[in-house]
Amino acid sequence: MTKAIQKTIIGVQGMHCASCANKIEKALSAQKGVKKAAVNFATEKAVVDYDSGLVENEKMGKIIEDLGYKAILPEEKGIKTLRLKIIGMDNPHCASTIAYALENIKGIRGKELSVNERGKIHYDPKLVSADTIKKTIIDLGYTPLDDAAVDTEKEARDKEMRELKFKLKIALGFSIPLVLLTMILPMIGIELPAYLTNQMHLIQFILATPVMFAGGSFFKYGIIGLKKTKTATMDTLVALGTGTAYVYSLFITIFISLGWEGYSFMDLYYEVAALLIAFILLGKYLEAKARGKTSEAIKKLMGLQAKNAVVIRHKKEMVIPIEEVIVGDFIIVKPGQKIPVDGIIVEGHSSVDESMITGESIPIEKKKGDKVIGSTINKVGSFTFKAEKVGSETALAQIVKLVEEAQGSKAPIQKLADKVSAYFVPIVLVLALFSFITWYFAGESGGFSLTVFVAVLIIACPCAMGLATPTAIMMGTGKGAQMGILIKSAEALQKAQEIDTIVFDKTGTLTKGKPEVTEIISLGGLSQEDILRYAAIAEKRSEHPLGEAIVRKAMEKKIKVVDPTLFKAMMGRGLEAKIGKVTVDLGNRLLMHEKKIDLKNVELEMQRLEDEGKTVMILAMNGKIGGLIAVADTLKENSAQAIKALHQLGKKVLIITGDNQRTAEAIAKQVGVDRVLAEVLPADKSREIQKLQQQGRKVAMVGDGINDAPALAQADLGIAIGSGTDVAIESADIVLIKEDLRDVVVAIDLSRYTMRKIRQNLFWAFAYNTAGIPIAAGVLYPFTGWLLSPVIAGAAMAFSSVSVLSNSLLMKNYRGKYFK
């Protein structure tokens, strides 16, 4: 059974390089029902498009787990998780007592109870409330407290950090004394007592072995994983490099213990293996900390959410957790409070600070009938509103989801790094082996050749390469979200800087989309009031901005607007309506030509109005022209400034509109665009975009309406105004939450800045490996007598990843050079 394609985001713990991500991606893509999988090493997420009729989240999670990684599955839609610290639940008996009691409650979907007084209960809020669950636990004699743990993913990340920190402490704790004994003391001329020197092989073995266990994950993923997937990764290089040094030293230790001649503790490489693992773990720890900072934008967005809501239930005010708010609840918001969820005001008025969503610093006045957005802040007044969107449906939740998906996706430029990583590790293995053999048969000792072998393996680890693109993408999309620019994919972020032509829809995009009637001209003996009345009745069922302007004008004049007996919309031309016995045609020239209505007596008057930038609607009654209605739509404040900035960037700017050429040219003159595409029917907009593409142009379309959706989808880059329709937003690659067209410029500039960072990262990652491998292989040794120590190679490899991350983190200082 085939269902609609769905998208899911699965957390993945335990990846050590881009090769790990490629391995998981390959396994997921091979699963029947998975249409597309993108695994991002930096974000530790798998974004999967799948057919839920053929495969489920649990199956995909198992595929990841079978490869040796930890999968963090998303919560089932509509199911909530209650996280509690349960005082007194400190033994298995207590945990089983609470588990048994919870099993008898309808609506409990699952539970995880541990003897460290932590509990996670998954429940259906439609069947049971959090308060009921808590009361059940209280009745058993325990004290449930809301746990501060934010979410499963954060818990897993924190756990990973704790484990890394613990392993790092062990590695450093044992490797520092090892280095002190084997390298530093001899270097400064301090001789050890004979009884220590005689047992140095065993001392080194005892100190190095715990470090090898601390780095056990490298062997688990690098060797065991290689068996399962036949794919070599960065872990394979580390495991082979450190493992070879350790095993070689272990054999020497056995030979010394057996009393074989020709061997001494000077032949041991324990310190190399131990220090390598210590440095790599240090790099991983710093990398994990830095990775956490790259997702700060998501954390900040999630931190905006209100914790509780004051709802009216059973005619009483109740304070409940935000998770328990349902659609239809009436919620009271007092001054200074955060608005819990999205909805519509039913009583009261206030001003609301929407800056965290829109970036607009000036509070917006809200009254009955106005929409409010969850997580925005009420300023002075009080009001009651009806909840319309809750949980994952709120605007904030959708923004977070869009940013998460964008951060988990892959840019086309990353394919290069992925392709290189796929071939890089096997090539390095061959080069390391070739270097070992070459030096050994050139007459160097086994120890010398082993040093070269290990150094090549370690310095070539492609971690920095794997982090170069995704960390910059994370910062770019996160920074965009903070500025009110939602970039829906890494591909969109890359495409934005390639655009050379921007096409703006006129009505509602360049203009405010709230036109006003400026002139009514009578031509057939009717009064202006009669013309307005007939036009308003005809437009009463229309949702077109021009029609709304006519109806609004009639209401202002207190003209009674009854329903037409017949209404038929003609897309891009106008409409036909029946009012009593009169057939009314209201529209543009195209409609009149279709109806074979002669326009020669009104053409000059129409041209005069159109030269002033007004849209003229012709009213015909029973086939004869009765009058003209001129409607003007004012430009948005920053339209001209945005287009000027686009020209400074070297972009070509066009207007596309259904208006006639003369009106469109008048608007174009005001804002300074290069070209006008006028009298374009909605169905033809995408065709016009295609024509531009056929000329070799990279086209971005900026629009807001339903009729813009095909053009947004056709364009190389679709940019939707956030105040526009859901269809337009769904079709777009970038969504501008504010109505400020200057954000089109900022989005392009942010894309250029991000791509510059990616190129810097990739250059240094490639340059590091390109220069590092020959040096590690010993090309300088014949000329300088200097050989790269594997320890230095390990340190350099670890900190190369940190340097790439640090370069990406600098992006949080981006402000944009426009409109400061």
Side-chain angles (χ1 to χ4, degrees), residues 293-345:
K293 289 180 182 177
T294 60
S295 59
E296 275 180 1
I298 289 278
K299 291 175 187 173
K300 284 180 182 176
L301 286 170
M302 293 178 75
L304 296 173
Q305 197 172 37
K307 301 294 183 288
N308 299 303
V310 181
V311 301
I312 302 171
R313 288 184 182 172
H314 313 298
K315 298 182 180 179
K316 291 182 181 178
E317 288 186 22
M318 300 171 60
V319 179
I320 63 170
I322 190 173
E323 293 84 8
E324 295 185 26
V325 175
I326 59 174
V327 173
D329 268 340
F330 287 94
I331 301 169
I332 297 170
V333 183
K334 295 171 185 176
Q337 290 184 338
K338 281 186 178 179
I339 297 168
V341 296
D342 298 2
I344 293 181
I345 295 177

Side-chain angles (χ1 to χ4, degrees), residues 580-617:
K581 295 181 179 179
V582 179
T583 299
V584 174
D585 293 300
L586 181 65
N588 57 22
R589 286 179 178 83
L590 288 174
L591 180 63
M592 298 303 133
H593 289 323
E594 279 184 18
K595 299 287 183 177
K596 296 184 169 48
I597 296 171
D598 191 6
L599 297 175
K600 65 182 178 183
N601 293 329
V602 297
E603 191 61 47
L604 285 175
E605 189 65 22
M606 288 177 66
Q607 288 179 17
R608 178 186 70 79
L609 294 168
E610 288 165 355
D611 286 339
E612 295 171 4
K614 296 169 183 174
T615 300
V616 182
M617 300 181 72

Side-chain angles (χ1 to χ4, degrees), residues 320-576:
I320 63 170
I322 190 173
E323 293 84 8
E324 295 185 26
V325 175
I326 59 174
V327 173
D329 268 340
F330 287 94
I331 301 169
I332 297 170
V333 183
K334 295 171 185 176
Q337 290 184 338
K338 281 186 178 179
I339 297 168
V341 296
D342 298 2
I344 293 181
I345 295 177
V346 295
E347 185 183 316
H349 60 87
S350 183
S351 60
V352 176
D353 178 358
E354 296 184 341
S355 59
M356 66 279 293
I357 299 290
T358 66
E360 181 57 60
S361 58
I362 300 170
I364 311 296
E365 293 299 317
K366 300 285 184 178
K367 60 185 184 305
K368 184 178 178 180
D370 287 344
K371 290 185 176 182
V372 288
I373 304 170
S375 305
T376 56
I377 301 171
N378 182 33
K379 300 298 283 184
V380 291
S382 296
F383 58 87
T384 302
F385 75 97
K386 185 179 180 181
E388 282 203 320
K389 292 180 179 178
V390 302
S392 62
E393 302 301 317
T394 63
L396 180 67
Q398 290 298 310
I399 289 170
V400 170
K401 185 183 176 188
L402 279 175
V403 176
E404 279 188 324
E405 287 179 4
Q407 292 186 341
S409 62
K410 288 190 176 184
I413 195 171
Q414 194 170 338
K415 291 175 183 175
L416 170 65
D418 288 348
K419 196 171 282 185
V420 170
S421 293
Y423 293 105
F424 195 75
V425 174
I427 290 170
V428 167
L429 287 170
V430 172
L431 285 173
L433 195 60
F434 177 76
S435 301
F436 175 87
I437 294 168
T438 301
W439 284 113
Y440 188 77
F441 284 103
E444 295 293 342
S445 68
F448 182 96
S449 303
L450 179 67
T451 299
V452 171
F453 176 75
V454 174
V456 171
L457 287 178
I458 297 304
I459 204 163
C461 289
C463 292
M465 235 181 290
L467 289 167
T469 301
T471 51
I473 293 292
M474 286 176 73
M475 293 301 295
T477 51
K479 194 69 189 177
Q482 289 176 341
M483 299 171 81
I485 301 166
L486 294 183
I487 302 163
K488 291 166 74 173
S489 69
E491 186 175 1
L493 185 61
Q494 179 171 336
K495 276 183 180 177
Q497 52 99 38
E498 299 168 357
I499 295 300
D500 55 35
T501 305
I502 294 98
V503 180
F504 286 93
D505 170 54
K506 183 179 80 69
T507 306
T509 303
L510 278 175
T511 64
K512 291 181 178 177
K514 289 188 176 178
E516 295 179 357
V517 174
T518 58
E519 290 172 71
I520 300 171
I521 298 168
S522 176
L523 298 167
L526 291 173
S527 67
Q528 288 186 351
E529 189 173 300
D530 285 339
I531 292 169
L532 186 58
R533 181 173 62 254
Y534 277 112
I537 292 169
E539 290 281 11
K540 188 175 181 181
R541 293 181 185 174
S542 171
E543 294 180 355
H544 195 283
L546 298 178
E548 289 175 359
I550 290 170
V551 174
R552 194 163 55 247
K553 188 71 173 179
M555 294 296 186
E556 288 172 10
K557 297 277 188 183
K558 295 188 169 37
I559 295 171
K560 188 177 181 181
V561 181
V562 299
D563 289 327
T565 53
L566 177 85
F567 173 84
K568 183 182 178 184
M570 316 271 198
M571 189 70 85
R573 301 185 295 284
L575 57 84
E576 179 185 313

